[in-house]
Amino acid sequence: MTPRSDMTLEWHLREVVAEEAGAESVKEAVRAVFTYMHSGRSRQRRGGRELVRLLEEARAAAASVGEWQVVRLVQDAIEYAEGRITRYDFEDRYRLFADGKRRESHTGFLGSVMKSMHRWLYDSGQEFLVEHPEAGIEDFLEHFRAQGEDALFLQAPEDRPGRYVIPRGRAEITLWLERIIRSGRIDVMDPAAEARKIVASPEALALLAADDQGRILLQAAELRRRAARLKELRTVVEDRTASEADVQRALDGQYWIFGGRFVDEAAHRRLVPGDEVDIPLIRGDGALHIVELKRSMSLKGPLVKRHRDAWVPAAQVHEAVGQAVNYLTGLDENRERIRADFGIETRRASALVLVGHPALHPEVPEDEVNEALRTFNAHLTRVEVLTYKELVDNAERSLAGDGPVQGA
């Protein structure tokens, strides 16, 4: 949401904040906010992030001279601009526009909402009693509790303008689906949010009804999630300004991208004093596999170089492999302690080095870049080198093999 700027905010700053400000530095900071709000070509007040920045400067100016009342008032202005305080609450809190009196329109609006709500409760209760004449008071109260839960899934049918529908039982289905997600080994970042998203789709509900355990639906949801994360990763590795930290954030929690050999990601990255691996994976046999991340399109130097009549890995690749070998040596030397402290087997540990992108060398065919690295890998025993593009391409092929991905 773009930070807003309107008459309510301006009145608050002029009639409340400016009156409380004492120091000239604070008054100047507030005037700077006014100047920006009216600096546009049109008559409309200017908002946006710059407005919030200027308000933050005014808050800091007030704090520096100990005007804490002004700090609180400006903080309320920031929260209003960012939409964290509603206009009704903001105006009522400071009694704006009405000589300090509460606005009758707010009271009337709230009263109308409460009247409509109670009318709906009355009609819904009558309908329930007609359909269930044998119901007791507990059944009656449970009906309204379920109605309240289902209200979170309010729908607006396209074929019935101005009408809204609360689908019965939707909350119960969502809770059941969320519990299925939480009970398995499916990598869903937010089970509750994913469950709500799934049951909001009529097509998804049809699949859910056709499958007793909801496996098809869960697989489809997970494939969509993975496809979206993979798309984000490809964007990062193709960005010429992305750092190693950017790549690591894009890969966070996505160990499936590295293939089916891995069953989990280790919780600890600092297994050896002085060394911290980028991504520690656990193979199916329980052994450790470390992933060393280097830059992709922002690699400082060539990925491959010409040697005689062939392309060979350049210095950046050799340095990364040397670093991975040092990690493996440290893991070997500390094997007993690591197994005792963390329960991780490092005797058969291996490493993957992710570095560079074929697009760094537009003059070299991509298959020749990949072949140069494969030839290099053939002479290594515990370390493998891969470009980010090949990693993402492999993961995409894996998703395609798992079934169609909606929205990929």
Side-chain angles (χ1 to χ4, degrees), residues 268-288:
H268 300 278
R269 294 169 54 196
R270 190 180 293 276
L271 302 174
V272 177
D275 287 342
E276 183 173 298
V277 301
D278 291 330
I279 301 178
L281 302 176
I282 304 299
R283 296 202 308 255
D285 61 0
L288 182 69

Side-chain angles (χ1 to χ4, degrees), residues 223 226-227 230 255-261 390-405:
L223 286 175
R226 290 185 175 186
L230 197 57
Y255 68 85
W256 67 270
I257 288 176
F258 298 99
R261 295 178 296 163
E390 192 163 9
L391 173 75
V392 175
D393 288 348
N394 290 343
E396 284 189 344
R397 283 191 288 270
S398 174
L399 281 183
D402 286 339
V405 181

Side-chain angles (χ1 to χ4, degrees), residues 103-347:
R103 297 192 70 178
E104 295 298 327
S105 61
H106 293 182
T107 305
F109 175 73
L110 184 59
S112 297
V113 171
M114 294 185 66
K115 178 182 178 181
S116 298
M117 180 182 68
H118 282 83
R119 181 66 190 180
W120 174 78
L121 289 172
Y122 176 79
D123 292 341
S124 179
Q126 277 198 324
E127 180 183 349
F128 177 78
L129 291 176
V130 168
E131 295 177 358
H132 305 85
E134 76 289 351
I137 186 64
E138 291 185 1
D139 297 327
F140 189 70
L141 293 175
E142 174 60 23
H143 166 70
F144 283 108
R145 186 204 63 78
Q147 287 269 8
E149 295 289 338
D150 288 338
L152 293 172
F153 304 93
L154 187 74
Q155 296 178 354
E158 293 185 2
D159 59 343
R160 299 174 65 187
R163 303 289 295 180
Y164 298 89
V165 175
I166 297 178
R168 292 185 179 180
R170 183 63 55 85
E172 186 175 0
I173 294 173
T174 304
L175 180 61
W176 171 72
L177 184 58
E178 180 184 341
R179 286 174 177 171
I180 291 177
I181 295 174
R182 290 188 186 279
S183 65
R185 294 180 57 84
I186 300 173
D187 302 321
V188 177
M189 300 300 291
D190 186 345
E194 194 65 40
R196 288 193 295 270
K197 185 193 305 181
I198 291 172
V199 299
S201 164
E203 294 81 5
L205 282 178
L207 283 174
L208 184 61
D211 186 82
D212 290 340
Q213 298 300 320
R215 292 193 184 95
I216 296 175
L217 196 56
L218 291 174
Q219 289 171 0
E222 176 61 7
L223 286 175
R224 284 196 299 271
R225 187 190 70 84
R226 290 185 175 186
R229 291 297 302 272
L230 197 57
K231 185 177 180 180
E232 293 173 6
L233 176 61
R234 185 180 289 280
T235 299
V236 172
V237 302
E238 291 177 352
D239 184 352
R240 294 185 178 276
T241 65
S243 63
E244 293 174 23
D246 295 328
V247 174
Q248 187 156 3
R249 281 192 292 270
L251 283 168
D252 184 42
Q254 304 298 309
Y255 68 85
W256 67 270
I257 288 176
F258 298 99
R261 295 178 296 163
F262 308 108
V263 297
D264 205 351
E265 186 173 339
H268 300 278
R269 294 169 54 196
R270 190 180 293 276
L271 302 174
V272 177
D275 287 342
E276 183 173 298
V277 301
D278 291 330
I279 301 178
L281 302 176
I282 304 299
R283 296 202 308 255
D285 61 0
L288 182 69
H289 181 86
I290 63 174
V291 180
E292 175 63 20
L293 303 177
K294 295 301 177 184
R295 292 173 179 264
S296 179
M297 286 297 291
S298 61
L299 189 66
K300 297 179 179 179
L303 177 64
V304 295
K305 66 178 182 179
R306 194 71 176 174
H307 180 68
R308 295 183 180 175
D309 295 328
W311 292 100
V312 298
Q316 296 282 332
V317 176
H318 289 279
E319 290 178 7
V321 169
Q323 186 175 352
V325 170
N326 288 337
Y327 286 154
L328 293 176
T329 301
L331 294 172
D332 289 341
E333 294 174 348
N334 293 269
R335 175 199 171 202
E336 298 297 334
R337 181 187 60 79
I338 294 172
R339 185 168 57 182
D341 292 349
F342 305 108
I344 298 175
E345 178 57 63
T346 63
R347 184 176 185 179

Side-chain angles (χ1 to χ4, degrees), residues 302-314 317-318 358 360-377:
L303 177 64
V304 295
K305 66 178 182 179
R306 194 71 176 174
H307 180 68
R308 295 183 180 175
D309 295 328
W311 292 100
V312 298
V317 176
H318 289 279
L360 287 168
H361 297 278
E363 76 284 1
V364 184
E366 182 178 333
D367 59 345
E368 292 190 26
V369 174
N370 293 337
E371 184 61 28
L373 295 180
R374 292 192 190 103
T375 302
F376 181 65
N377 288 331

